mmCIF file of all heavy atoms in Angstrom:
data_model
loop_
_atom_site.group_PDB
_atom_site.id
_atom_site.type_symbol
_atom_site.label_atom_id
_atom_site.label_comp_id
_atom_site.label_asym_id
_atom_site.label_seq_id
_atom_site.Cartn_x
_atom_site.Cartn_y
_atom_site.Cartn_z
ATOM 1 N N SER A 1137 30.637 11.896 7.994
ATOM 2 C CA SER A 1137 31.417 11.699 9.139
ATOM 3 C C SER A 1137 32.873 11.467 8.901
ATOM 4 O O SER A 1137 33.743 11.915 9.697
ATOM 5 C CB SER A 1137 30.820 10.531 9.961
ATOM 6 O OG SER A 1137 30.968 9.302 9.204
ATOM 7 N N VAL A 1138 33.183 10.835 7.816
ATOM 8 C CA VAL A 1138 34.607 10.622 7.456
ATOM 9 C C VAL A 1138 35.222 11.941 6.960
ATOM 10 O O VAL A 1138 36.376 12.273 7.333
ATOM 11 C CB VAL A 1138 34.762 9.553 6.394
ATOM 12 C CG1 VAL A 1138 36.173 9.431 5.824
ATOM 13 C CG2 VAL A 1138 34.337 8.214 6.958
ATOM 14 N N THR A 1139 34.440 12.663 6.189
ATOM 15 C CA THR A 1139 34.962 13.932 5.583
ATOM 16 C C THR A 1139 35.286 14.956 6.656
ATOM 17 O O THR A 1139 36.303 15.613 6.612
ATOM 18 C CB THR A 1139 33.900 14.527 4.635
ATOM 19 O OG1 THR A 1139 33.654 13.576 3.591
ATOM 20 C CG2 THR A 1139 34.469 15.785 4.008
ATOM 21 N N ASN A 1140 34.355 15.128 7.654
ATOM 22 C CA ASN A 1140 34.597 16.160 8.644
ATOM 23 C C ASN A 1140 35.385 15.607 9.874
ATOM 24 O O ASN A 1140 35.626 16.327 10.854
ATOM 25 C CB ASN A 1140 33.292 16.723 9.178
ATOM 26 C CG ASN A 1140 32.360 15.718 9.817
ATOM 27 O OD1 ASN A 1140 32.828 14.682 10.302
ATOM 28 N ND2 ASN A 1140 31.054 15.986 9.833
ATOM 29 N N GLY A 1141 35.887 14.385 9.787
ATOM 30 C CA GLY A 1141 36.777 13.849 10.797
ATOM 31 C C GLY A 1141 36.058 13.361 12.067
ATOM 32 O O GLY A 1141 36.734 13.146 13.106
ATOM 33 N N SER A 1142 34.767 13.185 12.026
ATOM 34 C CA SER A 1142 34.038 12.713 13.205
ATOM 35 C C SER A 1142 34.433 11.287 13.569
ATOM 36 O O SER A 1142 34.451 10.897 14.721
ATOM 37 C CB SER A 1142 32.509 12.755 12.970
ATOM 38 O OG SER A 1142 32.087 14.046 12.712
ATOM 39 N N VAL A 1143 34.757 10.519 12.515
ATOM 40 C CA VAL A 1143 35.310 9.133 12.787
ATOM 41 C C VAL A 1143 36.617 9.001 12.048
ATOM 42 O O VAL A 1143 36.870 9.689 11.006
ATOM 43 C CB VAL A 1143 34.317 8.072 12.231
ATOM 44 C CG1 VAL A 1143 32.987 8.116 13.055
ATOM 45 C CG2 VAL A 1143 34.007 8.229 10.740
ATOM 46 N N ASN A 1144 37.458 8.129 12.578
ATOM 47 C CA ASN A 1144 38.778 7.916 12.001
ATOM 48 C C ASN A 1144 38.911 6.478 11.500
ATOM 49 O O ASN A 1144 38.860 5.535 12.321
ATOM 50 C CB ASN A 1144 39.869 8.222 13.078
ATOM 51 C CG ASN A 1144 41.226 8.185 12.491
ATOM 52 O OD1 ASN A 1144 41.457 7.915 11.301
ATOM 53 N ND2 ASN A 1144 42.257 8.469 13.358
ATOM 54 N N LEU A 1145 38.964 6.333 10.227
ATOM 55 C CA LEU A 1145 39.019 4.995 9.632
ATOM 56 C C LEU A 1145 40.332 4.282 9.960
ATOM 57 O O LEU A 1145 40.346 3.020 9.829
ATOM 58 C CB LEU A 1145 38.816 5.086 8.092
ATOM 59 C CG LEU A 1145 37.478 5.549 7.557
ATOM 60 C CD1 LEU A 1145 37.431 5.577 6.078
ATOM 61 C CD2 LEU A 1145 36.377 4.616 8.148
ATOM 62 N N THR A 1146 41.334 4.945 10.360
ATOM 63 C CA THR A 1146 42.608 4.277 10.685
ATOM 64 C C THR A 1146 42.403 3.518 12.003
ATOM 65 O O THR A 1146 43.212 2.607 12.328
ATOM 66 C CB THR A 1146 43.746 5.287 10.896
ATOM 67 O OG1 THR A 1146 43.399 6.237 11.861
ATOM 68 C CG2 THR A 1146 43.985 5.986 9.548
ATOM 69 N N GLU A 1147 41.398 3.864 12.805
ATOM 70 C CA GLU A 1147 41.138 3.133 14.070
ATOM 71 C C GLU A 1147 40.197 1.993 13.880
ATOM 72 O O GLU A 1147 39.972 1.242 14.802
ATOM 73 C CB GLU A 1147 40.551 4.137 15.077
ATOM 74 C CG GLU A 1147 41.492 5.318 15.401
ATOM 75 C CD GLU A 1147 40.840 6.282 16.338
ATOM 76 O OE1 GLU A 1147 39.636 6.127 16.660
ATOM 77 O OE2 GLU A 1147 41.492 7.241 16.778
ATOM 78 N N GLY A 1148 39.697 1.827 12.658
ATOM 79 C CA GLY A 1148 38.754 0.733 12.335
ATOM 80 C C GLY A 1148 37.457 1.201 11.744
ATOM 81 O O GLY A 1148 37.217 2.405 11.603
ATOM 82 N N VAL A 1149 36.654 0.295 11.320
ATOM 83 C CA VAL A 1149 35.398 0.615 10.718
ATOM 84 C C VAL A 1149 34.372 0.977 11.819
ATOM 85 O O VAL A 1149 34.214 0.250 12.781
ATOM 86 C CB VAL A 1149 34.806 -0.642 9.913
ATOM 87 C CG1 VAL A 1149 33.479 -0.291 9.296
ATOM 88 C CG2 VAL A 1149 35.837 -1.028 8.880
ATOM 89 N N PRO A 1150 33.725 2.151 11.695
ATOM 90 C CA PRO A 1150 32.804 2.614 12.768
ATOM 91 C C PRO A 1150 31.441 1.981 12.540
ATOM 92 O O PRO A 1150 31.005 1.616 11.436
ATOM 93 C CB PRO A 1150 32.732 4.108 12.500
ATOM 94 C CG PRO A 1150 32.956 4.266 11.044
ATOM 95 C CD PRO A 1150 33.924 3.154 10.640
ATOM 96 N N PHE A 1151 30.684 1.864 13.626
ATOM 97 C CA PHE A 1151 29.285 1.467 13.572
ATOM 98 C C PHE A 1151 28.466 2.613 12.904
ATOM 99 O O PHE A 1151 28.838 3.747 12.920
ATOM 100 C CB PHE A 1151 28.713 1.180 14.962
ATOM 101 C CG PHE A 1151 29.154 -0.141 15.503
ATOM 102 C CD1 PHE A 1151 30.198 -0.271 16.352
ATOM 103 C CD2 PHE A 1151 28.446 -1.308 15.151
ATOM 104 C CE1 PHE A 1151 30.563 -1.489 16.862
ATOM 105 C CE2 PHE A 1151 28.801 -2.494 15.667
ATOM 106 C CZ PHE A 1151 29.877 -2.649 16.535
ATOM 107 N N ILE A 1152 27.363 2.199 12.356
ATOM 108 C CA ILE A 1152 26.413 3.202 11.729
ATOM 109 C C ILE A 1152 26.024 4.276 12.758
ATOM 110 O O ILE A 1152 25.997 5.461 12.463
ATOM 111 C CB ILE A 1152 25.239 2.534 11.131
ATOM 112 C CG1 ILE A 1152 25.638 1.493 10.082
ATOM 113 C CG2 ILE A 1152 24.257 3.556 10.540
ATOM 114 C CD1 ILE A 1152 24.481 0.726 9.511
ATOM 115 N N SER A 1153 25.683 3.828 13.950
ATOM 116 C CA SER A 1153 25.250 4.744 14.970
ATOM 117 C C SER A 1153 26.352 5.697 15.378
ATOM 118 O O SER A 1153 26.075 6.860 15.691
ATOM 119 C CB SER A 1153 24.776 3.962 16.211
ATOM 120 O OG SER A 1153 23.651 3.125 15.898
ATOM 121 N N LEU A 1154 27.588 5.264 15.363
ATOM 122 C CA LEU A 1154 28.717 6.094 15.736
ATOM 123 C C LEU A 1154 28.919 7.213 14.685
ATOM 124 O O LEU A 1154 29.170 8.345 15.038
ATOM 125 C CB LEU A 1154 30.012 5.286 15.816
ATOM 126 C CG LEU A 1154 31.267 6.096 16.219
ATOM 127 C CD1 LEU A 1154 31.110 6.730 17.595
ATOM 128 C CD2 LEU A 1154 32.529 5.169 16.191
ATOM 129 N N CYS A 1155 28.685 6.864 13.397
ATOM 130 C CA CYS A 1155 28.770 7.922 12.334
ATOM 131 C C CYS A 1155 27.639 8.916 12.533
ATOM 132 O O CYS A 1155 27.825 10.078 12.187
ATOM 133 C CB CYS A 1155 28.617 7.208 10.961
ATOM 134 S SG CYS A 1155 29.943 6.128 10.546
ATOM 135 N N GLY A 1156 26.488 8.489 13.004
ATOM 136 C CA GLY A 1156 25.344 9.394 13.124
ATOM 137 C C GLY A 1156 25.165 10.055 14.455
ATOM 138 O O GLY A 1156 24.121 10.725 14.718
ATOM 139 N N THR A 1157 26.142 9.926 15.337
ATOM 140 C CA THR A 1157 25.948 10.485 16.685
ATOM 141 C C THR A 1157 26.566 11.922 16.821
ATOM 142 O O THR A 1157 26.304 12.610 17.779
ATOM 143 C CB THR A 1157 26.608 9.569 17.742
ATOM 144 O OG1 THR A 1157 26.161 9.919 19.017
ATOM 145 C CG2 THR A 1157 28.162 9.682 17.690
ATOM 146 N N TYR A 1158 27.353 12.306 15.813
ATOM 147 C CA TYR A 1158 27.990 13.638 15.896
ATOM 148 C C TYR A 1158 27.278 14.634 14.972
ATOM 149 O O TYR A 1158 26.774 14.240 13.915
ATOM 150 C CB TYR A 1158 29.490 13.555 15.457
ATOM 151 C CG TYR A 1158 30.277 12.599 16.350
ATOM 152 C CD1 TYR A 1158 30.742 11.334 15.860
ATOM 153 C CD2 TYR A 1158 30.653 12.978 17.662
ATOM 154 C CE1 TYR A 1158 31.462 10.492 16.631
ATOM 155 C CE2 TYR A 1158 31.390 12.060 18.432
ATOM 156 C CZ TYR A 1158 31.744 10.836 17.958
ATOM 157 O OH TYR A 1158 32.497 9.976 18.733
ATOM 158 N N THR A 1159 27.290 15.891 15.356
ATOM 159 C CA THR A 1159 26.764 16.928 14.471
ATOM 160 C C THR A 1159 27.737 17.252 13.404
ATOM 161 O O THR A 1159 28.968 17.169 13.583
ATOM 162 C CB THR A 1159 26.454 18.195 15.349
ATOM 163 O OG1 THR A 1159 27.645 18.625 15.969
ATOM 164 C CG2 THR A 1159 25.350 17.928 16.356
ATOM 165 N N PRO A 1160 27.328 17.704 12.163
ATOM 166 C CA PRO A 1160 25.923 17.948 11.794
ATOM 167 C C PRO A 1160 25.159 16.732 11.271
ATOM 168 O O PRO A 1160 24.019 16.738 11.025
ATOM 169 C CB PRO A 1160 26.050 18.993 10.705
ATOM 170 C CG PRO A 1160 27.359 18.604 10.032
ATOM 171 C CD PRO A 1160 28.269 18.091 11.145
ATOM 172 N N GLN A 1161 25.942 15.643 11.050
ATOM 173 C CA GLN A 1161 25.285 14.444 10.354
ATOM 174 C C GLN A 1161 24.259 13.779 11.317
ATOM 175 O O GLN A 1161 23.448 12.992 10.794
ATOM 176 C CB GLN A 1161 26.341 13.466 9.892
ATOM 177 C CG GLN A 1161 27.125 12.849 10.983
ATOM 178 C CD GLN A 1161 28.430 13.566 11.218
ATOM 179 O OE1 GLN A 1161 28.568 14.758 10.801
ATOM 180 N NE2 GLN A 1161 29.446 12.940 11.849
#
Side-chain angles (χ1 to χ4, degrees):
S1137 63
V1138 172
T1139 301
N1140 61 24
S1142 298
V1143 296
N1144 188 358
L1145 293 182
T1146 59
E1147 298 176 356
V1149 179
F1151 282 96
I1152 300 175
S1153 299
L1154 182 61
C1155 295
T1157 197
Y1158 301 107
T1159 56
Q1161 62 268 18

